[in-house]
Amino acid sequence: MPNPLRHGEPKIIAIANQKGGVGKTTTSINLGAALAKMGNRVLLIDLDPQGNASTGLGIGSERRNATTYDLLVNESPLSEVIQHTDVLNLDIVPATTDLSSADIELLSNEKRSFLLHDALRQPAMAGFGFDFILIDCPPSLNLLTVNAMVSAHSVLVPLQSEFFALEGLSQLMLTVREVRDTANSGLRIEGIVLTMYDRRNNLSQHVEADARENLGDLVFKTVIPRNVRVSEAPSYAMPVVDYDPSSKGSLAYLSVAKELVDRHNAVKSRG
Ligand code: ADP
Ligand code: MG
């Protein structure tokens, strides 16, 4: 597939939802790996102090000497914090629990909302040749998530196919609007991806119908099924697209990646 972004700036996507356990990290890892499999160079920023994306890609604590915390708080150069994963074309900036104190430590910093924005725009970024940067956000609308939204071109929202799924969305959209009004007027909603979808469950179908009715084309056509291979993969330190390439979960993430690239091409050719 021709790569629309090869010589351009990386497209920066924040993967956010203030609810925990909705599939942010799973989507970050697997969308990242799927985009990489399509030939894109991808950087994943682990912005959650829990460091699940780092763990899920096999970056153990012994390999977390330079982290997202250093990038934000110590203004470390990109070359010091970016490392390869075992997935070809997928790099990561790992996170540790240090990051949980950044929120408070940065309160007195005037540029506190722009730290990630500025870090990702270090002149050295061009040399890495990334096509996509995905940011795995923490389960909160805190300063870290605001940093992600200020730095990003768009926000991708994983939505778990369960009863209260749509309720948290208005709060999230409010934060997006605030960031747009104050710091990043170009911020778009990339889309909503329904996760942990169970076709046999009426509730899943209900949430999907509701989401498509209210949010229209913002909802990706592909839904991510609840699939045990997806939940097993991190314990083998692999994305599901490598752990079990033909599983339903793997095929779904490859399909989301394709939709994302197609949408991006459509936006490019329009304008
Ligand atoms: P978040 O980052 O939003 O907190 P995670 O991506 O960590 O959410 O997912 C929460 C839990 O659900 C994890 O244990 C993960 O393995 C599991 N999970 C996520 N997506 C799926 C899926 N499609 N099928 C089965 N389990 C999933
Ligand atoms: Mg997570």
Side-chain angles (χ1 to χ4, degrees), residues 3 6 28-29 31-44 57 82-92 128-134 239 242:
N3 187 333
R6 179 59 74 202
S28 301
I29 290 175
L31 178 58
L35 287 167
K37 291 240 170 293
M38 293 162 75
N40 298 286
R41 287 197 36 73
V42 182
L43 175 64
L44 178 50
L57 285 168
I82 294 175
Q83 47 180 308
H84 296 313
T85 71
D86 289 341
V87 180
L88 185 68
N89 285 330
L90 179 61
D91 289 357
I92 189 169
F128 288 91
F130 290 118
D131 301 300
F132 290 96
I133 299 177
L134 305 183
D242 281 335

PDB file of all heavy atoms in Angstrom, residues 3 6 28-29 31-44 57 82-92 128-134 239 242:
ATOM      1  N   ASN A   3       2.325   4.732   0.827  1.00  0.00           N
ATOM      2  CA  ASN A   3       2.252   5.410   2.111  1.00  0.00           C
ATOM      3  C   ASN A   3       2.084   6.917   1.938  1.00  0.00           C
ATOM      4  O   ASN A   3       2.974   7.584   1.432  1.00  0.00           O
ATOM      5  CB  ASN A   3       3.516   5.116   2.893  1.00  0.00           C
ATOM      6  CG  ASN A   3       3.405   5.664   4.279  1.00  0.00           C
ATOM      7  OD1 ASN A   3       2.686   6.638   4.497  1.00  0.00           O
ATOM      8  ND2 ASN A   3       4.083   5.049   5.206  1.00  0.00           N
ATOM      9  N   ARG A   6       4.853   9.251   3.935  1.00  0.00           N
ATOM     10  CA  ARG A   6       6.267   8.895   3.997  1.00  0.00           C
ATOM     11  C   ARG A   6       7.171  10.112   4.181  1.00  0.00           C
ATOM     12  O   ARG A   6       8.079  10.099   4.982  1.00  0.00           O
ATOM     13  CB  ARG A   6       6.653   8.102   2.734  1.00  0.00           C
ATOM     14  CG  ARG A   6       8.098   7.686   2.664  1.00  0.00           C
ATOM     15  CD  ARG A   6       8.532   6.823   3.837  1.00  0.00           C
ATOM     16  NE  ARG A   6       8.022   5.468   3.755  1.00  0.00           N
ATOM     17  CZ  ARG A   6       7.900   4.682   4.825  1.00  0.00           C
ATOM     18  NH1 ARG A   6       8.207   5.129   6.022  1.00  0.00           N
ATOM     19  NH2 ARG A   6       7.445   3.469   4.689  1.00  0.00           N
ATOM     20  N   SER A  28      -3.820   0.783  21.332  1.00  0.00           N
ATOM     21  CA  SER A  28      -2.541   1.436  21.027  1.00  0.00           C
ATOM     22  C   SER A  28      -1.541   0.425  20.492  1.00  0.00           C
ATOM     23  O   SER A  28      -0.896   0.639  19.459  1.00  0.00           O
ATOM     24  CB  SER A  28      -1.964   2.099  22.283  1.00  0.00           C
ATOM     25  OG  SER A  28      -2.852   3.064  22.797  1.00  0.00           O
ATOM     26  N   ILE A  29      -1.413  -0.689  21.208  1.00  0.00           N
ATOM     27  CA  ILE A  29      -0.432  -1.712  20.815  1.00  0.00           C
ATOM     28  C   ILE A  29      -0.792  -2.315  19.450  1.00  0.00           C
ATOM     29  O   ILE A  29       0.053  -2.420  18.554  1.00  0.00           O
ATOM     30  CB  ILE A  29      -0.388  -2.848  21.867  1.00  0.00           C
ATOM     31  CG1 ILE A  29       0.236  -2.341  23.174  1.00  0.00           C
ATOM     32  CG2 ILE A  29       0.354  -4.068  21.332  1.00  0.00           C
ATOM     33  CD1 ILE A  29       0.221  -3.368  24.311  1.00  0.00           C
ATOM     34  N   LEU A  31      -3.183  -1.413  17.073  1.00  0.00           N
ATOM     35  CA  LEU A  31      -3.277  -0.498  15.937  1.00  0.00           C
ATOM     36  C   LEU A  31      -1.867  -0.092  15.513  1.00  0.00           C
ATOM     37  O   LEU A  31      -1.557  -0.041  14.312  1.00  0.00           O
ATOM     38  CB  LEU A  31      -4.114   0.732  16.325  1.00  0.00           C
ATOM     39  CG  LEU A  31      -4.262   1.802  15.256  1.00  0.00           C
ATOM     40  CD1 LEU A  31      -4.899   1.241  13.988  1.00  0.00           C
ATOM     41  CD2 LEU A  31      -5.098   2.980  15.789  1.00  0.00           C
ATOM     42  N   GLY A  32      -1.004   0.166  16.497  1.00  0.00           N
ATOM     43  CA  GLY A  32       0.386   0.503  16.193  1.00  0.00           C
ATOM     44  C   GLY A  32       1.066  -0.605  15.399  1.00  0.00           C
ATOM     45  O   GLY A  32       1.702  -0.361  14.369  1.00  0.00           O
ATOM     46  N   ALA A  33       0.908  -1.836  15.870  1.00  0.00           N
ATOM     47  CA  ALA A  33       1.536  -2.974  15.193  1.00  0.00           C
ATOM     48  C   ALA A  33       0.933  -3.193  13.811  1.00  0.00           C
ATOM     49  O   ALA A  33       1.649  -3.514  12.852  1.00  0.00           O
ATOM     50  CB  ALA A  33       1.385  -4.231  16.052  1.00  0.00           C
ATOM     51  N   ALA A  34      -0.379  -3.003  13.696  1.00  0.00           N
ATOM     52  CA  ALA A  34      -1.036  -3.197  12.396  1.00  0.00           C
ATOM     53  C   ALA A  34      -0.568  -2.142  11.395  1.00  0.00           C
ATOM     54  O   ALA A  34      -0.278  -2.458  10.230  1.00  0.00           O
ATOM     55  CB  ALA A  34      -2.558  -3.140  12.564  1.00  0.00           C
ATOM     56  N   LEU A  35      -0.461  -0.895  11.848  1.00  0.00           N
ATOM     57  CA  LEU A  35       0.040   0.165  10.955  1.00  0.00           C
ATOM     58  C   LEU A  35       1.483  -0.144  10.545  1.00  0.00           C
ATOM     59  O   LEU A  35       1.872   0.068   9.391  1.00  0.00           O
ATOM     60  CB  LEU A  35      -0.033   1.532  11.647  1.00  0.00           C
ATOM     61  CG  LEU A  35      -1.432   2.134  11.805  1.00  0.00           C
ATOM     62  CD1 LEU A  35      -1.405   3.323  12.774  1.00  0.00           C
ATOM     63  CD2 LEU A  35      -2.008   2.570  10.447  1.00  0.00           C
ATOM     64  N   ALA A  36       2.265  -0.667  11.486  1.00  0.00           N
ATOM     65  CA  ALA A  36       3.659  -1.013  11.189  1.00  0.00           C
ATOM     66  C   ALA A  36       3.724  -2.146  10.152  1.00  0.00           C
ATOM     67  O   ALA A  36       4.539  -2.108   9.235  1.00  0.00           O
ATOM     68  CB  ALA A  36       4.386  -1.415  12.471  1.00  0.00           C
ATOM     69  N   LYS A  37       2.834  -3.120  10.293  1.00  0.00           N
ATOM     70  CA  LYS A  37       2.792  -4.234   9.331  1.00  0.00           C
ATOM     71  C   LYS A  37       2.463  -3.759   7.921  1.00  0.00           C
ATOM     72  O   LYS A  37       2.836  -4.380   6.933  1.00  0.00           O
ATOM     73  CB  LYS A  37       1.715  -5.247   9.727  1.00  0.00           C
ATOM     74  CG  LYS A  37       2.033  -6.004  10.967  1.00  0.00           C
ATOM     75  CD  LYS A  37       2.104  -7.500  10.713  1.00  0.00           C
ATOM     76  CE  LYS A  37       2.668  -8.232  11.903  1.00  0.00           C
ATOM     77  NZ  LYS A  37       4.083  -7.948  12.174  1.00  0.00           N
ATOM     78  N   MET A  38       1.712  -2.642   7.846  1.00  0.00           N
ATOM     79  CA  MET A  38       1.364  -2.088   6.536  1.00  0.00           C
ATOM     80  C   MET A  38       2.515  -1.275   5.950  1.00  0.00           C
ATOM     81  O   MET A  38       2.369  -0.682   4.887  1.00  0.00           O
ATOM     82  CB  MET A  38       0.116  -1.207   6.663  1.00  0.00           C
ATOM     83  CG  MET A  38      -1.146  -1.986   7.025  1.00  0.00           C
ATOM     84  SD  MET A  38      -2.457  -0.893   7.664  1.00  0.00           S
ATOM     85  CE  MET A  38      -3.002  -0.125   6.150  1.00  0.00           C
ATOM     86  N   GLY A  39       3.612  -1.212   6.675  1.00  0.00           N
ATOM     87  CA  GLY A  39       4.790  -0.519   6.138  1.00  0.00           C
ATOM     88  C   GLY A  39       5.002   0.878   6.688  1.00  0.00           C
ATOM     89  O   GLY A  39       5.892   1.599   6.235  1.00  0.00           O
ATOM     90  N   ASN A  40       4.173   1.269   7.646  1.00  0.00           N
ATOM     91  CA  ASN A  40       4.361   2.579   8.263  1.00  0.00           C
ATOM     92  C   ASN A  40       5.379   2.495   9.390  1.00  0.00           C
ATOM     93  O   ASN A  40       5.466   1.475  10.072  1.00  0.00           O
ATOM     94  CB  ASN A  40       3.034   3.072   8.860  1.00  0.00           C
ATOM     95  CG  ASN A  40       1.970   3.240   7.817  1.00  0.00           C
ATOM     96  OD1 ASN A  40       1.993   4.178   7.031  1.00  0.00           O
ATOM     97  ND2 ASN A  40       1.023   2.303   7.787  1.00  0.00           N
ATOM     98  N   ARG A  41       6.107   3.594   9.583  1.00  0.00           N
ATOM     99  CA  ARG A  41       6.961   3.671  10.773  1.00  0.00           C
ATOM    100  C   ARG A  41       6.148   4.305  11.896  1.00  0.00           C
ATOM    101  O   ARG A  41       5.572   5.376  11.730  1.00  0.00           O
ATOM    102  CB  ARG A  41       8.232   4.479  10.491  1.00  0.00           C
ATOM    103  CG  ARG A  41       9.209   3.692   9.612  1.00  0.00           C
ATOM    104  CD  ARG A  41      10.643   4.213   9.617  1.00  0.00           C
ATOM    105  NE  ARG A  41      11.127   4.745  10.894  1.00  0.00           N
ATOM    106  CZ  ARG A  41      11.451   4.004  11.972  1.00  0.00           C
ATOM    107  NH1 ARG A  41      11.328   2.701  11.944  1.00  0.00           N
ATOM    108  NH2 ARG A  41      11.888   4.580  13.060  1.00  0.00           N
ATOM    109  N   VAL A  42       6.067   3.613  13.014  1.00  0.00           N
ATOM    110  CA  VAL A  42       5.151   4.003  14.084  1.00  0.00           C
ATOM    111  C   VAL A  42       5.901   4.178  15.405  1.00  0.00           C
ATOM    112  O   VAL A  42       6.758   3.352  15.751  1.00  0.00           O
ATOM    113  CB  VAL A  42       4.052   2.927  14.278  1.00  0.00           C
ATOM    114  CG1 VAL A  42       3.057   3.356  15.362  1.00  0.00           C
ATOM    115  CG2 VAL A  42       3.318   2.650  12.962  1.00  0.00           C
ATOM    116  N   LEU A  43       5.564   5.245  16.114  1.00  0.00           N
ATOM    117  CA  LEU A  43       6.075   5.448  17.468  1.00  0.00           C
ATOM    118  C   LEU A  43       4.898   5.412  18.432  1.00  0.00           C
ATOM    119  O   LEU A  43       3.886   6.089  18.223  1.00  0.00           O
ATOM    120  CB  LEU A  43       6.778   6.814  17.582  1.00  0.00           C
ATOM    121  CG  LEU A  43       7.249   7.191  18.998  1.00  0.00           C
ATOM    122  CD1 LEU A  43       8.314   6.234  19.509  1.00  0.00           C
ATOM    123  CD2 LEU A  43       7.782   8.631  19.020  1.00  0.00           C
ATOM    124  N   LEU A  44       5.032   4.603  19.470  1.00  0.00           N
ATOM    125  CA  LEU A  44       4.014   4.545  20.511  1.00  0.00           C
ATOM    126  C   LEU A  44       4.561   5.250  21.750  1.00  0.00           C
ATOM    127  O   LEU A  44       5.640   4.913  22.231  1.00  0.00           O
ATOM    128  CB  LEU A  44       3.703   3.068  20.800  1.00  0.00           C
ATOM    129  CG  LEU A  44       2.696   2.722  21.888  1.00  0.00           C
ATOM    130  CD1 LEU A  44       1.404   3.491  21.723  1.00  0.00           C
ATOM    131  CD2 LEU A  44       2.396   1.224  21.842  1.00  0.00           C
ATOM    132  N   LEU A  57       4.533  -4.840  25.167  1.00  0.00           N
ATOM    133  CA  LEU A  57       5.450  -4.956  24.030  1.00  0.00           C
ATOM    134  C   LEU A  57       6.823  -5.448  24.476  1.00  0.00           C
ATOM    135  O   LEU A  57       7.808  -5.340  23.745  1.00  0.00           O
ATOM    136  CB  LEU A  57       5.547  -3.620  23.286  1.00  0.00           C
ATOM    137  CG  LEU A  57       4.313  -3.307  22.428  1.00  0.00           C
ATOM    138  CD1 LEU A  57       4.328  -1.863  21.943  1.00  0.00           C
ATOM    139  CD2 LEU A  57       4.219  -4.257  21.231  1.00  0.00           C
ATOM    140  N   ILE A  82      13.546   6.993  22.874  1.00  0.00           N
ATOM    141  CA  ILE A  82      12.879   6.104  21.914  1.00  0.00           C
ATOM    142  C   ILE A  82      13.659   4.802  21.791  1.00  0.00           C
ATOM    143  O   ILE A  82      14.873   4.819  21.646  1.00  0.00           O
ATOM    144  CB  ILE A  82      12.797   6.771  20.519  1.00  0.00           C
ATOM    145  CG1 ILE A  82      11.871   7.998  20.578  1.00  0.00           C
ATOM    146  CG2 ILE A  82      12.300   5.780  19.466  1.00  0.00           C
ATOM    147  CD1 ILE A  82      11.806   8.794  19.278  1.00  0.00           C
ATOM    148  N   GLN A  83      12.962   3.688  21.875  1.00  0.00           N
ATOM    149  CA  GLN A  83      13.633   2.408  21.628  1.00  0.00           C
ATOM    150  C   GLN A  83      12.797   1.499  20.734  1.00  0.00           C
ATOM    151  O   GLN A  83      11.588   1.649  20.614  1.00  0.00           O
ATOM    152  CB  GLN A  83      14.025   1.714  22.920  1.00  0.00           C
ATOM    153  CG  GLN A  83      12.963   1.647  23.980  1.00  0.00           C
ATOM    154  CD  GLN A  83      13.486   0.927  25.220  1.00  0.00           C
ATOM    155  OE1 GLN A  83      14.011  -0.177  25.112  1.00  0.00           O
ATOM    156  NE2 GLN A  83      13.356   1.537  26.377  1.00  0.00           N
ATOM    157  N   HIS A  84      13.508   0.560  20.092  1.00  0.00           N
ATOM    158  CA  HIS A  84      12.819  -0.389  19.218  1.00  0.00           C
ATOM    159  C   HIS A  84      12.049  -1.410  20.052  1.00  0.00           C
ATOM    160  O   HIS A  84      12.441  -1.731  21.172  1.00  0.00           O
ATOM    161  CB  HIS A  84      13.816  -1.152  18.346  1.00  0.00           C
ATOM    162  CG  HIS A  84      14.562  -0.292  17.380  1.00  0.00           C
ATOM    163  ND1 HIS A  84      13.937   0.652  16.585  1.00  0.00           N
ATOM    164  CD2 HIS A  84      15.874  -0.229  17.066  1.00  0.00           C
ATOM    165  CE1 HIS A  84      14.838   1.256  15.839  1.00  0.00           C
ATOM    166  NE2 HIS A  84      16.030   0.758  16.116  1.00  0.00           N
ATOM    167  N   THR A  85      10.974  -1.918  19.497  1.00  0.00           N
ATOM    168  CA  THR A  85      10.321  -3.097  20.073  1.00  0.00           C
ATOM    169  C   THR A  85      10.681  -4.285  19.182  1.00  0.00           C
ATOM    170  O   THR A  85      11.385  -4.125  18.180  1.00  0.00           O
ATOM    171  CB  THR A  85       8.787  -2.947  20.097  1.00  0.00           C
ATOM    172  OG1 THR A  85       8.287  -3.027  18.758  1.00  0.00           O
ATOM    173  CG2 THR A  85       8.370  -1.623  20.731  1.00  0.00           C
ATOM    174  N   ASP A  86      10.189  -5.462  19.516  1.00  0.00           N
ATOM    175  CA  ASP A  86      10.439  -6.634  18.671  1.00  0.00           C
ATOM    176  C   ASP A  86       9.615  -6.594  17.385  1.00  0.00           C
ATOM    177  O   ASP A  86       9.808  -7.425  16.502  1.00  0.00           O
ATOM    178  CB  ASP A  86      10.100  -7.925  19.442  1.00  0.00           C
ATOM    179  CG  ASP A  86      11.123  -8.184  20.540  1.00  0.00           C
ATOM    180  OD1 ASP A  86      12.230  -7.608  20.461  1.00  0.00           O
ATOM    181  OD2 ASP A  86      10.814  -8.948  21.477  1.00  0.00           O
ATOM    182  N   VAL A  87       8.678  -5.655  17.317  1.00  0.00           N
ATOM    183  CA  VAL A  87       7.862  -5.530  16.104  1.00  0.00           C
ATOM    184  C   VAL A  87       8.577  -4.574  15.154  1.00  0.00           C
ATOM    185  O   VAL A  87       8.878  -3.435  15.512  1.00  0.00           O
ATOM    186  CB  VAL A  87       6.466  -4.960  16.448  1.00  0.00           C
ATOM    187  CG1 VAL A  87       5.622  -4.838  15.183  1.00  0.00           C
ATOM    188  CG2 VAL A  87       5.780  -5.844  17.483  1.00  0.00           C
ATOM    189  N   LEU A  88       8.865  -5.053  13.951  1.00  0.00           N
ATOM    190  CA  LEU A  88       9.554  -4.236  12.964  1.00  0.00           C
ATOM    191  C   LEU A  88       8.765  -2.949  12.702  1.00  0.00           C
ATOM    192  O   LEU A  88       7.538  -3.003  12.527  1.00  0.00           O
ATOM    193  CB  LEU A  88       9.703  -5.041  11.659  1.00  0.00           C
ATOM    194  CG  LEU A  88      10.511  -4.352  10.552  1.00  0.00           C
ATOM    195  CD1 LEU A  88      11.983  -4.236  10.947  1.00  0.00           C
ATOM    196  CD2 LEU A  88      10.347  -5.099   9.234  1.00  0.00           C
ATOM    197  N   ASN A  89       9.456  -1.825  12.692  1.00  0.00           N
ATOM    198  CA  ASN A  89       8.846  -0.519  12.408  1.00  0.00           C
ATOM    199  C   ASN A  89       7.991   0.042  13.544  1.00  0.00           C
ATOM    200  O   ASN A  89       7.307   1.049  13.366  1.00  0.00           O
ATOM    201  CB  ASN A  89       7.970  -0.551  11.136  1.00  0.00           C
ATOM    202  CG  ASN A  89       8.805  -0.583   9.889  1.00  0.00           C
ATOM    203  OD1 ASN A  89       9.931  -0.053   9.874  1.00  0.00           O
ATOM    204  ND2 ASN A  89       8.281  -1.191   8.844  1.00  0.00           N
ATOM    205  N   LEU A  90       8.003  -0.620  14.692  1.00  0.00           N
ATOM    206  CA  LEU A  90       7.261  -0.094  15.848  1.00  0.00           C
ATOM    207  C   LEU A  90       8.242   0.236  16.979  1.00  0.00           C
ATOM    208  O   LEU A  90       8.892  -0.654  17.523  1.00  0.00           O
ATOM    209  CB  LEU A  90       6.222  -1.113  16.330  1.00  0.00           C
ATOM    210  CG  LEU A  90       5.392  -0.701  17.559  1.00  0.00           C
ATOM    211  CD1 LEU A  90       4.584   0.565  17.290  1.00  0.00           C
ATOM    212  CD2 LEU A  90       4.448  -1.836  17.976  1.00  0.00           C
ATOM    213  N   ASP A  91       8.341   1.530  17.277  1.00  0.00           N
ATOM    214  CA  ASP A  91       9.203   1.997  18.369  1.00  0.00           C
ATOM    215  C   ASP A  91       8.336   2.470  19.531  1.00  0.00           C
ATOM    216  O   ASP A  91       7.132   2.701  19.364  1.00  0.00           O
ATOM    217  CB  ASP A  91      10.107   3.143  17.898  1.00  0.00           C
ATOM    218  CG  ASP A  91      11.205   2.666  16.944  1.00  0.00           C
ATOM    219  OD1 ASP A  91      11.282   1.450  16.697  1.00  0.00           O
ATOM    220  OD2 ASP A  91      11.956   3.517  16.449  1.00  0.00           O
ATOM    221  N   ILE A  92       8.960   2.637  20.680  1.00  0.00           N
ATOM    222  CA  ILE A  92       8.180   3.037  21.860  1.00  0.00           C
ATOM    223  C   ILE A  92       8.988   3.959  22.759  1.00  0.00           C
ATOM    224  O   ILE A  92      10.216   3.863  22.818  1.00  0.00           O
ATOM    225  CB  ILE A  92       7.726   1.773  22.654  1.00  0.00           C
ATOM    226  CG1 ILE A  92       6.732   2.156  23.753  1.00  0.00           C
ATOM    227  CG2 ILE A  92       8.927   1.024  23.241  1.00  0.00           C
ATOM    228  CD1 ILE A  92       6.030   0.960  24.400  1.00  0.00           C
ATOM    229  N   PHE A 128      13.762  10.551  12.392  1.00  0.00           N
ATOM    230  CA  PHE A 128      13.234   9.224  12.688  1.00  0.00           C
ATOM    231  C   PHE A 128      12.295   8.728  11.590  1.00  0.00           C
ATOM    232  O   PHE A 128      12.052   7.531  11.463  1.00  0.00           O
ATOM    233  CB  PHE A 128      12.487   9.218  14.026  1.00  0.00           C
ATOM    234  CG  PHE A 128      13.395   9.319  15.216  1.00  0.00           C
ATOM    235  CD1 PHE A 128      13.732  10.548  15.763  1.00  0.00           C
ATOM    236  CD2 PHE A 128      13.933   8.172  15.782  1.00  0.00           C
ATOM    237  CE1 PHE A 128      14.567  10.643  16.860  1.00  0.00           C
ATOM    238  CE2 PHE A 128      14.776   8.254  16.878  1.00  0.00           C
ATOM    239  CZ  PHE A 128      15.097   9.492  17.414  1.00  0.00           C
ATOM    240  N   GLY A 129      11.730   9.638  10.843  1.00  0.00           N
ATOM    241  CA  GLY A 129      10.874   9.246   9.722  1.00  0.00           C
ATOM    242  C   GLY A 129       9.589   8.553  10.119  1.00  0.00           C
ATOM    243  O   GLY A 129       9.055   7.731   9.374  1.00  0.00           O
ATOM    244  N   PHE A 130       9.045   8.906  11.272  1.00  0.00           N
ATOM    245  CA  PHE A 130       7.790   8.265  11.675  1.00  0.00           C
ATOM    246  C   PHE A 130       6.622   8.747  10.806  1.00  0.00           C
ATOM    247  O   PHE A 130       6.554   9.916  10.427  1.00  0.00           O
ATOM    248  CB  PHE A 130       7.461   8.567  13.141  1.00  0.00           C
ATOM    249  CG  PHE A 130       8.378   7.879  14.107  1.00  0.00           C
ATOM    250  CD1 PHE A 130       9.173   8.612  14.968  1.00  0.00           C
ATOM    251  CD2 PHE A 130       8.452   6.489  14.140  1.00  0.00           C
ATOM    252  CE1 PHE A 130      10.032   7.975  15.857  1.00  0.00           C
ATOM    253  CE2 PHE A 130       9.307   5.836  15.025  1.00  0.00           C
ATOM    254  CZ  PHE A 130      10.100   6.587  15.885  1.00  0.00           C
ATOM    255  N   ASP A 131       5.722   7.824  10.526  1.00  0.00           N
ATOM    256  CA  ASP A 131       4.487   8.160   9.822  1.00  0.00           C
ATOM    257  C   ASP A 131       3.361   8.429  10.810  1.00  0.00           C
ATOM    258  O   ASP A 131       2.529   9.297  10.598  1.00  0.00           O
ATOM    259  CB  ASP A 131       4.083   6.999   8.913  1.00  0.00           C
ATOM    260  CG  ASP A 131       5.164   6.673   7.905  1.00  0.00           C
ATOM    261  OD1 ASP A 131       5.493   7.577   7.109  1.00  0.00           O
ATOM    262  OD2 ASP A 131       5.696   5.548   7.937  1.00  0.00           O
ATOM    263  N   PHE A 132       3.341   7.650  11.880  1.00  0.00           N
ATOM    264  CA  PHE A 132       2.304   7.798  12.902  1.00  0.00           C
ATOM    265  C   PHE A 132       2.929   7.807  14.289  1.00  0.00           C
ATOM    266  O   PHE A 132       3.863   7.039  14.555  1.00  0.00           O
ATOM    267  CB  PHE A 132       1.306   6.627  12.845  1.00  0.00           C
ATOM    268  CG  PHE A 132       0.414   6.639  11.632  1.00  0.00           C
ATOM    269  CD1 PHE A 132       0.746   5.894  10.512  1.00  0.00           C
ATOM    270  CD2 PHE A 132      -0.753   7.405  11.614  1.00  0.00           C
ATOM    271  CE1 PHE A 132      -0.071   5.907   9.389  1.00  0.00           C
ATOM    272  CE2 PHE A 132      -1.568   7.423  10.497  1.00  0.00           C
ATOM    273  CZ  PHE A 132      -1.229   6.674   9.382  1.00  0.00           C
ATOM    274  N   ILE A 133       2.371   8.657  15.151  1.00  0.00           N
ATOM    275  CA  ILE A 133       2.700   8.592  16.576  1.00  0.00           C
ATOM    276  C   ILE A 133       1.391   8.356  17.316  1.00  0.00           C
ATOM    277  O   ILE A 133       0.448   9.142  17.181  1.00  0.00           O
ATOM    278  CB  ILE A 133       3.365   9.897  17.061  1.00  0.00           C
ATOM    279  CG1 ILE A 133       4.674  10.146  16.299  1.00  0.00           C
ATOM    280  CG2 ILE A 133       3.622   9.838  18.574  1.00  0.00           C
ATOM    281  CD1 ILE A 133       5.371  11.445  16.655  1.00  0.00           C
ATOM    282  N   LEU A 134       1.322   7.249  18.058  1.00  0.00           N
ATOM    283  CA  LEU A 134       0.126   6.938  18.846  1.00  0.00           C
ATOM    284  C   LEU A 134       0.447   7.183  20.315  1.00  0.00           C
ATOM    285  O   LEU A 134       1.509   6.784  20.796  1.00  0.00           O
ATOM    286  CB  LEU A 134      -0.293   5.479  18.649  1.00  0.00           C
ATOM    287  CG  LEU A 134      -0.530   5.007  17.207  1.00  0.00           C
ATOM    288  CD1 LEU A 134      -1.010   3.551  17.209  1.00  0.00           C
ATOM    289  CD2 LEU A 134      -1.551   5.900  16.505  1.00  0.00           C
ATOM    290  N   PRO A 239       1.997  -8.122  20.165  1.00  0.00           N
ATOM    291  CA  PRO A 239       0.680  -7.691  19.698  1.00  0.00           C
ATOM    292  C   PRO A 239      -0.064  -8.896  19.125  1.00  0.00           C
ATOM    293  O   PRO A 239       0.583  -9.858  18.682  1.00  0.00           O
ATOM    294  CB  PRO A 239       1.001  -6.678  18.591  1.00  0.00           C
ATOM    295  CG  PRO A 239       2.400  -6.953  18.188  1.00  0.00           C
ATOM    296  CD  PRO A 239       3.093  -7.638  19.319  1.00  0.00           C
ATOM    297  N   ASP A 242       0.820 -10.406  15.748  1.00  0.00           N
ATOM    298  CA  ASP A 242       1.941 -11.345  15.653  1.00  0.00           C
ATOM    299  C   ASP A 242       1.642 -12.649  16.390  1.00  0.00           C
ATOM    300  O   ASP A 242       1.980 -13.727  15.929  1.00  0.00           O
ATOM    301  CB  ASP A 242       3.216 -10.748  16.268  1.00  0.00           C
ATOM    302  CG  ASP A 242       3.885  -9.776  15.315  1.00  0.00           C
ATOM    303  OD1 ASP A 242       3.684  -9.919  14.094  1.00  0.00           O
ATOM    304  OD2 ASP A 242       4.578  -8.869  15.799  1.00  0.00           O
TER     305      ASP A 242
END
